[in-house]
Amino acid sequence: VLKDVMFGPKNFGLTDEEAMKAAKKACRLVGLPNDIYEKSPFGLSGGQMRRVAVAGILALNPDIIVLDEPTVGLDPIAKKDLLQFLNKLNKEFKKSIVIITHDMDVVSEYIKRVLVMKQGRLMYDGSKEQLFKNEQLVKDCNLDFPTIVTTLKEINKKMNLSLDVYQYNLEDAFAELK
């Protein structure tokens, strides 16, 4: 694990000692325990493997982090932990984070600015709220609605209510239902 996290810094010219220091700092930041430093990354859980990958990026101390489908294959707890950690990186450490995802639940709860691409063309650039309210665009781009929005739409329809179905976390959805 430690060698894997040190790979980037060493290839950008850091000495072994500097790379080790950067790697250990990054591992601590992502919450990896010291006792896995000598283990193979391939023997870790999916969530731990993602943390090792993120630590490898953080060891380089970039201003911008780009992640392609970072939550695929993670169980719900590991997914939430990773996204909360990325949120912390953004807020506390002022890292800009770009996430490529097809998971609209991730978009609805964690993403500030959304860009939708279709066949190499930019179809949308704006807020998640405006994206999901544009139902034709969602349909045209073959996107799903977030689970919370879909659930509120069904409740609204079946109970003949007039709910604001565009809620993006459980607390807001619950408040709307009350």
Side-chain angles (χ1 to χ4, degrees), residues 56 88 121 149 157:
K88 176 182 174 179
R121 288 187 36 232
V149 172
K157 183 175 150 187

Side-chain angles (χ1 to χ4, degrees), residues 38-166:
E38 300 305 316
K39 292 183 179 181
S40 168
F42 301 108
L44 303 176
S45 70
Q48 287 176 320
M49 286 175 77
R50 297 287 162 85
R51 287 183 182 274
V52 169
V54 172
I57 295 166
L58 292 177
L60 297 167
N61 196 26
D63 293 326
I64 302 170
I65 300 168
V66 179
L67 302 167
D68 187 9
E69 299 287 359
T71 60
V72 168
L74 295 180
D75 64 71
I77 293 170
K79 177 179 173 178
K80 186 173 184 168
D81 287 348
L82 177 63
L83 291 166
Q84 287 177 339
F85 171 72
L86 294 173
N87 196 35
K88 176 182 174 179
L89 276 180
N90 173 254
K91 288 184 175 162
E92 291 181 27
F93 297 94
K94 306 302 181 212
K95 302 289 183 189
S96 295
I97 301 172
V98 177
I99 296 178
I100 295 100
T101 187
H102 291 88
D103 186 337
M104 294 303 108
D105 290 331
V106 169
V107 171
S108 73
E109 192 160 353
Y110 293 96
I111 306 302
K112 294 177 188 170
R113 179 177 168 200
V114 180
L115 284 79
V116 177
M117 304 290 294
K118 182 177 180 182
Q119 298 177 335
R121 288 187 36 232
L122 180 63
M123 302 296 290
Y124 176 82
D125 179 354
S127 72
K128 63 188 172 199
E129 293 84 3
Q130 289 307 115
L131 169 66
F132 294 122
K133 287 179 181 178
N134 187 337
E135 296 197 16
Q136 189 60 49
L137 177 67
V138 171
K139 182 180 176 185
D140 291 347
C141 291
N142 300 314
L143 300 175
D144 293 323
F145 286 97
T147 303
I148 292 172
V149 172
T150 302
T151 302
L152 288 174
K153 282 182 170 196
E154 273 302 306
I155 292 169
N156 211 25
K157 183 175 150 187
K158 288 190 180 201
M159 298 184 74
N160 198 26
L161 301 172
S162 58
L163 298 172
D164 176 2
V165 298
Y166 299 103

